[in-house]
Amino acid sequence: MNVEGCFQLMGGDFTNAGAASSELKSTLSKLGVSQDIIRRASIAAFEAEMNIIIHAVAGTMHYVVNNGEIRIILTDMGPGIEDIELAMQEGYSTAPDWVREMGWGAGMGLPNIKKNADRFKIDSVVGEGTTLEIVIYMRKD
């Protein structure tokens, strides 16, 4: 099994927020992936997708389902993260007030991604952007 998908994400596009992660969820369901794995992948993908919509100008979400794992890579053209360790703390957020007023930006995105991933890598360059790599194993070997 080798299934891939790629989505363009636009910063500030709350109308389509969640569309990419919903399509990933639908694809995993069609492949017969277990509900627990689908839930974890959907949460991680949604949180990462929202981070791009909230913080970046634009970005992409690319996923590959292959060799017993789901690999989700998100790359954005955004402000980057100055202090990744601080950004990983629950409740820490740099979301602007207008985003918080919409109910987003509570500072749970990156911690939720980490909790739902079997492997999680984050690379960021201030002023250029951020890349997340999320891997979820479909089998527990």
Side-chain angles (χ1 to χ4, degrees):
M1 169 175 45
N2 184 22
V3 177
E4 296 185 43
C6 189
F7 306 90
Q8 299 294 317
L9 304 169
M10 295 302 298
D13 183 9
F14 289 92
T15 301
N16 293 307
S21 51
S22 289
E23 189 165 321
L24 171 61
K25 180 179 180 180
S26 176
T27 298
L28 295 174
S29 292
K30 289 176 188 170
L31 293 172
V33 175
S34 76
Q35 289 300 308
D36 177 57
I37 299 299
I38 291 172
R39 183 188 60 76
R40 292 174 54 213
S42 297
I43 291 170
F46 180 76
E47 295 283 8
E49 181 181 358
M50 289 307 298
N51 278 347
I52 290 175
I53 290 169
I54 291 170
H55 297 285
V57 173
T60 60
M61 181 176 102
H62 179 245
Y63 70 84
V64 178
V65 182
N66 190 7
N67 295 326
E69 67 180 32
I70 303 162
R71 182 179 306 267
I72 308 166
I73 299 172
L74 297 102
T75 302
D76 73 45
M77 295 179 288
I81 301 171
E82 287 187 32
D83 187 335
I84 292 174
E85 187 175 326
L86 182 60
M88 292 301 301
Q89 294 181 13
E90 291 184 6
Y92 177 80
S93 177
T94 58
D97 289 342
W98 66 270
V99 169
R100 292 174 190 237
E101 289 169 5
M102 293 171 50
W104 303 106
M108 295 304 294
L110 291 175
N112 277 340
I113 294 168
K114 186 175 180 180
K115 282 180 189 173
N116 285 286
D118 290 308
R119 291 195 337 247
F120 176 55
K121 181 179 175 188
I122 182 167
D123 292 311
S124 188
V125 177
V126 174
E128 295 186 17
T130 302
T131 298
L132 303 180
E133 182 177 6
I134 302 160
V135 177
I136 298 170
Y137 302 127
M138 293 191 289
R139 290 175 277 182
K140 297 290 181 188
D141 295 328

